[in-house]
Amino acid sequence: MISVNADNFESVILKSKLPVLLDVFGHSCPPCRRIAPLIERLAHELAGRALVAKFAYEDQPSLARRLGIHAVPTFIFFNRGAETGRLVGIRSREELLAALGEMSSAS
């Protein structure tokens, strides 16, 4: 899993040749901590097929504002530099994979 910030967001996320799942979390967010192991597993499962990245909104307030983050956890999906979807709150593995478009190849 890759950590992003305001400085590397464009090169890591927007220029990725792979589909991207970006996890925006909060350090003191219980739901974020609860879903973190799932996000880590997805990062390993999807290696080479999708990029899983993350950042803590309180560590990167300008990036959080730029992305319009109003609640955490927020999962933003990108493909070829464009946002293709967004989910807010605890989500299942299946919901995240479906939004990423990897449901059949990651199962």
Side-chain angles (χ1 to χ4, degrees):
M1 181 162 350
I2 297 174
S3 292
V4 296
N5 57 49
D7 294 331
N8 71 2
F9 179 79
E10 183 174 339
S11 64
V12 172
I13 303 298
L14 300 182
K15 292 185 177 179
S16 176
K17 295 185 187 317
L18 298 173
V20 176
L21 183 158
L22 176 62
D23 171 19
V24 184
F25 69 96
H27 293 295
S28 61
C29 164
C32 299
R33 287 193 303 271
R34 197 167 95 212
I35 200 166
L38 170 61
I39 302 305
E40 287 287 338
R41 282 193 307 274
L42 286 176
H44 293 291
E45 288 176 29
L46 298 172
R49 293 180 288 158
L51 173 69
V52 179
K54 67 179 180 175
F55 78 90
Y57 78 95
E58 62 266 70
D59 294 342
Q60 297 294 318
S62 65
L63 184 54
R65 278 191 303 278
R66 174 179 167 190
L67 294 172
I69 302 301
H70 299 288
V72 289
T74 294
F75 305 97
I76 307 175
F77 303 89
F78 294 88
N79 194 9
R80 297 185 180 129
E83 183 177 330
T84 59
R86 187 177 287 230
L87 297 171
V88 178
I90 291 285
R91 298 301 175 140
S92 69
R93 177 183 186 277
E94 292 75 21
E95 288 174 297
L96 294 169
L97 289 173
L100 190 59
E102 292 288 335
M103 181 64 82
S104 61
S105 60
S107 297

